[in-house]
Each structure stands twice: as structure tokens, then as C-alpha cells.
Amino acid sequence: MPLSLYEVSIPVFIRTFGHFSKFLDKGRAFADEKGIPHSALLEARLYPDMAPLTAQVQRASDTARFAPIRVAQVEAVSMPDTETSFEELQARIAKTVDFLKTVPPHAIDAGEETEVTLKTQLFSMTFTGKDYLLGFAMPNFYFHVTTAYGILRHQGVPLGKLDFFGRG
């Protein structure tokens, strides 16, 4: 039986946000244990021209949210990028997951051939719904989750590969 677009996207986003939430919890606990201001982790970057931890969470959320909005053409949920604390980042993750749980599987699957045009300040690209999900949204989502993980590890948070996969 072939996999559906829904199966390879929405449940994956939801499951990964569960892991992501746990390693943010570990980051907060580490900061508290070591007497490190939360802002030191939340504003940390892997390199000066890269976005900080807060933005990595926001971009992962945006990518997961925009996937069904663009492919299934479901109604958008507004989430301004205003988070400045672990609590606010956790609330954003929860709101994103709640939204993803409302996406009808048939709507994602029906969007396989939907034209998705992605425009940024740097480029414009047009995809089919399938190519957008598999070739852009999923890799972009994992880029931001992995970068957030890397920021926390770089700051000394005791995370391992199993944490990334939800087994830590």
C-alpha cells in the first residue's frame, strides 16, 4: 500500500514537535541548573549570521503550518514571531500541533498536484504540492529543528542523538 502525502508530512511534523518540545525542556532545565539566564540560550546562534534559537523554533513552526495551508489550501492560522521565553516557544509548538491535528488527511492528499509558488526576497519557486512537501517543506522543517538542536548542544545542553528521535 503506498504512503500518502498526509502520512509522510503531518504526523511527522507532530511527532517531531513532541521531541523538539522535550529538548527545549532540557535546555531550560540546564540553564536553571547552571544558573545561566534563559536569554543566553534563547538568543544563542551557531554562527553570527544565523538566526537564534527562538527564530529556529518559529521557522520550524512556520514551515509545518504553511505546508497544509499551501498544499491543502486550509485556512491560515496567524502566529506572529513574538516569542522571547521557553514558555512562549512551548506555547507556539502546542498551537502549531493543535492546528496540524485539524488538517484533514484527504485535503493534503488531494493537493498533490496543487501549484505552490514560494516567494521570498531572494527567490521565487513553483512546485507541485507533492514536490513542495517532499523537496522543500520537510527538508526546511528538519533544517530548523536540527539547527535548534545544534544551538542547544553547542551551549552545553546534555542532548544526544536519541533525544532528536524522541528516545532520550
Side-chain angles (χ1 to χ4, degrees), residues 53-97:
L53 179 63
T54 53
Q56 301 302 331
V57 176
Q58 292 160 348
R59 296 299 74 75
S61 166
D62 289 345
T63 300
R65 269 183 323 113
F66 286 129
I69 290 167
R70 291 177 174 140
V71 174
Q73 300 175 343
V74 297
E75 189 173 332
V77 174
S78 177
M79 290 190 202
D81 297 335
T82 58
E83 296 82 13
T84 59
S85 69
F86 282 107
E87 295 84 5
E88 290 172 343
L89 291 175
Q90 293 288 13
R92 184 178 181 122
I93 288 173
K95 185 175 179 181
T96 304
V97 167

Side-chain angles (χ1 to χ4, degrees), residues 6 104-111:
Y6 178 86
H106 65 81
I108 291 286
D109 295 338

Side-chain angles (χ1 to χ4, degrees), residues 15-56:
R15 183 177 55 252
T16 303
F17 275 124
H19 310 329
F20 199 177
S21 178
K22 289 178 184 173
F23 57 78
L24 287 176
D25 283 341
K26 284 190 174 189
R28 180 182 179 176
F30 174 80
D32 290 344
E33 176 186 319
K34 301 292 184 185
I36 300 169
H38 289 182
S39 61
L41 293 183
L42 295 165
E43 297 167 12
R45 304 165 186 261
L46 287 179
Y47 198 76
D49 68 350
M50 291 181 76
L53 179 63
T54 53
Q56 301 302 331

